[in-house]
Amino acid sequence: MFEERSAKVLIIAFLLIAAGGALLTYKVRALGFPLLPDSEAQVWTVEAAVSFEAGPAPIKVRMFIPGLTPGFAILDENFVSRGFGATTRYVAGGREVQWARRRARGPQTLYYRAVVYRDPTLAEDDTTPPFPPSPIFAEPFSTAASIIVEDVGSKSADPASFTQELLQQLNSPGADQNVDLLLGLDPDIVDVARTATTLLAAALIPARLLRGIYLEDQQRYAEVIPWLMVHDGTRWLYFDPDSGQQGLPNDFLVWWNGTESLTTLDGGRDLDVTFSVSSSLMDPVSLAQRRSEARAGPLGQLSLFALPIRTQAVYSVLLLVPLGALLVVILRNLVGVQTFGTFMPVLIALAFRETQLLWGILLFSVLVALGLGLRFYLERLRLLAVPRVGAVLIIVVLLMLAISVLSHRLGLDTGLSVALFPMVILAMTIERMSIVWEERGAEEAIQQGLGSLLVAAVCYAVMDLDTARHLVFVFPESLLIVLAFTLLVGRYTGYRLTELRRFRAFGQRGSQ
Amino acid sequence: MMLRSPRQLRELGVLGMNERNANFVQRFNERRLYPLVDDKLQTKRLALAAGIAVPELYGVMETPGDTARLAELVANRDEFVIKPAHGSGGDGIMVVSGQSARRRGQYRLMDGSFISEAGIRYHATNIISGRYSLGGHRDQAMIEYCVQPDPVFAEATYRGVPDIRVLVFRGYPAMAMVRLPTRQSHGKANLHQGAIGAGIDLLSGRTVNGVFQNQPTDEHPDTGAPVVDIQVPHWNMLLELAARCYDLTELGYLGVDLVLDRDHGPLILELNARPGLSIQIANRAGLRRRFGLFVEQPDKRPVADRLAYMRAALHDEPSLSPVA
């Protein structure tokens, strides 16, 4: 007969948990908000400086910039180029920036700066490329190429082993005439990689030449390193053209692909490009925040970080109140602790955040004890109700002031934080406690007072956890889950923990 | 053993606070009916209209100015009670048991201390300002007849008036206990104020088990008199009165507080829409199980039929409460 309502609550709670959980998961997984408050995220600032001697014709500089970067995502990028117009576009080799200027003289330096961070979710292009067109060689290169392809093919089983075998052959100059013929004189590693892509194309294996840099901290002149990307029919594989090792180092930032050179310059000379890398630590929350702004999803906007800092500070405290409320609900309805005022302990716990627990309990007890004493004296003056509570409130404020001044004199600055106690709540607590004291006796009054303090201490302990603060502030949607649990407790009709003791007389058969 | 396991309690049919609130108070007591019992003046009017005896009302003070009429209202009464019309849990009740013979304007309280007229007026002012009312709303102070308890519980009472609580579920008396004031309860008959409770066998009207501060006991802590095996007089009449209160209020989960007056017999003292659970300890019986007997019964049966059904049902119920 009661199941229908319970079922409804269960469904609502489930929906709330699902919604909150989904939002939370999305923010953790897709937007990269950190679930725990601890770590700091590493970001790298990569700077490419393009310097050249300008003039006399109109100047046009084109440079590849990172587009598709497996393992990394670009947080921010900017182009420092006084007097130049900068436009970016996607091209075959990735992405490029084009700087243009009608007229300029003397040495020019253009900067491209990108801030990147690790993002394991960013993978390579997963479209399967078409079979590459067979390269056209002139003799005698054609014969040499087909001999190598045939030889390597016979010593390998699949595209991966083919690539490794090929790279090994290409990297052992002098061992094979055909290799020497194709590589030419004094080949560098780029030549090796480029030749490898050509030969892979001859074997109908799609391959690309990548260029990138290692992200190592404090590199003034980072070197551009070639890398090889080979498609094995289902996915892209990476190879170090130098060693033949498979894989992409996790600190390798892909800059562009293809055989074209990094920069082209029209209307200038003495082109030079230098890369520098520096790493720094960033608060992962603000990193995630900027990232979600960059992605401009509607959920990225669903965040407290868009609010003014002062409002944020207010909410960082306010958002803890629901947690405290849930704790009060649990302690009252599941445990059965008695308190003065339902949510008074939450407010006291908020004050404890400033005073620290021990001092908080001490100050609270002193204030309530002094207030009660004066309250009992006021009782003898026979005042009307509202003026009496008003008087208690004023006395509470005066006591707070006295404690602050006194503790400051004694050099105990913690006493100053007493000013943060919610004084109206304190006055009401004193009023209520005095009634319970008179009507039910000191024992019950003190018991309820201690109950309130206990609940406040538990609330404080939870609300003071870095993890809890972080969770509710970064993921306010977690409050949906808090709400769900509160609703669930609302349909809990089992016994309270204290009732197991209260009803202990049951079953004591015959014993009196 | 200091604790009972939840399973044990469930098997004994014990009702817990959460279940009481969710499944009984909220389900069987419509909120719009609360004023009938939360306002003791209304309850009194209701009972009188139905021909049920209540303690005589001497007067009502509604403003602090009204308290000036106190002496006039109680002019020729030696004993009277001042209580808040919207009080709960027995808070704010002041029992005046006589006027001082030597000094005019001095009154004697239940516990033997003296209080001036101004003191009583101050108490009435506190009541009016809502100090004891639910939610702190403005209240009225009632002055009424001070019940002269029937001597049956005289031995087992330390000052004050014992009262009988009958828990009525959907019009069926489901459990009953007598509440005996102790020194600790200052003459008040509420268990959480330190009164002793003794369960009453609904069929025979004899007290069965005592409970003091949630602990079983057979003796009154102050007088040492036994609290068990006392036959409550007018028992069937008390049950009928309690059952009739359901028809007055339509509250399905109702606590009826009755007193036995030496001169006037059974009187309805007050009604309670959220009666507590200690009655289970006094009877060593679970309310869930008792309610199970009545929850399926048709509504609006005549009182006599309900009582007959209750007796038959309890007669067949296996004895759960071990009598020592």
Side-chain angles (χ1 to χ4, degrees), chain B:
Chain B
M1 185 106 163
M2 294 304 281
L3 296 177
R4 296 282 128 215
S5 76
R7 226 188 74 212
Q8 260 177 314
L9 290 181
R10 192 145 277 272
E11 278 167 8
L12 291 161
V14 174
L15 184 66
M17 191 59 92
N18 289 331
E19 189 174 10
R20 179 199 83 165
N21 291 340
N23 290 350
F24 292 95
V25 174
Q26 281 187 29
R27 188 175 140 86
F28 291 100
N29 291 352
E30 279 184 58
R31 194 159 286 275
R32 66 179 174 88
L33 299 173
Y34 280 16
L36 298 182
V37 295
D38 285 346
D39 181 352
K40 295 186 177 67
L41 284 168
Q42 267 204 58
T43 312
K44 237 184 225 310
R45 253 177 259 132
L46 216 59
L48 285 175
I52 296 175
V54 295
E56 186 192 341
L57 184 67
Y58 295 158
V60 180
M61 296 177 281
E62 299 192 1
T63 65
D66 285 354
T67 61
R69 292 167 46 226
L70 176 79
E72 175 196 329
L73 288 170
V74 298
N76 45 6
R77 323 276 187 189
D78 267 355
E79 306 183 25
F80 55 90
V81 176
I82 297 188
K83 57 160 81 164
H86 287 90
S88 71
D91 288 350
I93 296 178
M94 180 184 266
V95 181
V96 179
S97 59
Q99 303 207 11
S100 169
R102 273 170 291 161
R103 289 178 57 196
R104 255 188 74 79
Q106 284 286 314
Y107 294 83
R108 191 152 33 84
L109 293 180
M110 181 64 89
D111 60 4
S113 61
F114 283 89
I115 189 168
S116 65
E117 187 190 325
I120 298 179
R121 282 179 58 184
Y122 177 61
H123 182 70
T125 312
N126 270 335
I127 290 175
I128 291 164
S129 62
R131 189 166 168 197
Y132 304 104
S133 76
L134 300 163
H137 297 298
R138 222 177 153 72
D139 202 357
Q140 292 145 312
M142 308 160 56
I143 309 173
E144 64 176 26
Y145 168 71
C146 178
V147 173
Q148 303 302 307
D150 188 288
V152 62
F153 296 116
E155 295 278 287
T157 300
Y158 180 86
R159 289 185 172 145
V161 181
D163 75 359
I164 292 158
R165 155 71 58 91
V166 181
L167 220 154
V168 180
F169 178 61
R170 300 185 68 239
Y172 296 85
M175 213 173 267
M177 67 171 166
V178 58
R179 299 184 292 189
L180 306 158
T182 63
R183 185 198 297 270
Q184 192 180 331
S185 78
H186 297 283
K188 290 175 182 171
N190 273 303
L191 292 196
H192 59 246
Q193 286 173 326
I196 185 168
I200 303 174
D201 177 32
L202 285 176
L203 297 177
S204 65
R206 293 184 86 81
T207 57
V208 286
N209 299 298
V211 57
F212 179 60
Q213 313 237 306
N214 290 335
Q215 286 285 14
T217 181
D218 274 357
E219 297 177 349
H220 192 282
D222 304 317
T223 69
V227 296
V228 296
D229 221 20
I230 302 172
Q231 175 66 49
V232 181
H234 311 291
W235 180 241
N236 287 337
M237 188 176 169
L238 287 169
L239 280 184
E240 194 198 317
L241 277 177
R244 281 174 65 192
C245 288
Y246 170 65
D247 304 297
L248 293 185
T249 59
E250 293 183 358
L251 289 163
Y253 180 75
L254 182 68
V256 180
D257 292 350
L258 301 126
V259 284
L260 281 172
D261 191 84
R262 192 176 56 204
D263 308 316
H264 301 92
L267 304 174
I268 295 278
L269 205 56
E270 61 179 74
L271 303 179
N272 197 322
R274 309 167 198 79
L277 301 171
S278 299
I279 196 169
Q280 301 180 105
I281 308 172
N283 281 280
R284 306 277 205 292
L287 278 171
R288 281 182 100 247
R289 178 168 299 202
R290 283 285 165 84
F291 292 164
L293 299 174
F294 309 118
V295 76
E296 303 286 334
Q297 288 301 304
D299 208 3
K300 311 277 182 203
R301 289 169 74 184
V303 173
D305 290 4
R306 295 203 302 256
L307 291 177
Y309 175 83
M310 181 273 288
R311 289 199 178 95
L314 284 188
H315 194 77
D316 299 338
E317 190 191 36
S319 176
L320 289 165
S321 43
V323 183

Side-chain angles (χ1 to χ4, degrees), chain A residues 340 433 436-437 441-451:
Chain A
F340 285 113
M433 196 161 171
V436 174
W437 191 295
E443 196 185 328
E444 182 153 352
I446 290 171
Q447 197 182 327
Q448 284 193 30
L450 288 179

Side-chain angles (χ1 to χ4, degrees), chain A residues 2 333 375 382-383 385 388 435 438-440 492-493 495-496 499-502 504 506 512, chain B residues 2 4 9 14 16-19 27 91-92 122 125-126 129 131 188 215 218 278 280 284-285:
Chain A
F2 310 115
N333 281 56
R375 168 71 183 67
R382 298 194 176 147
L383 306 174
R388 187 179 53 219
I435 292 175
E438 277 171 24
E439 295 292 325
R440 313 256 166 103
Y492 170 75
T493 54
Y495 299 108
R496 297 174 183 177
E499 282 176 340
L500 303 183
R501 186 176 147 72
R502 181 184 177 192
R504 65 190 180 278
F506 274 89
Q512 298 299 330
Chain B
M2 294 304 281
R4 296 282 128 215
L9 290 181
V14 174
M17 191 59 92
N18 289 331
E19 189 174 10
R27 188 175 140 86
D91 288 350
Y122 177 61
T125 312
N126 270 335
S129 62
R131 189 166 168 197
K188 290 175 182 171
Q215 286 285 14
D218 274 357
S278 299
Q280 301 180 105
R284 306 277 205 292

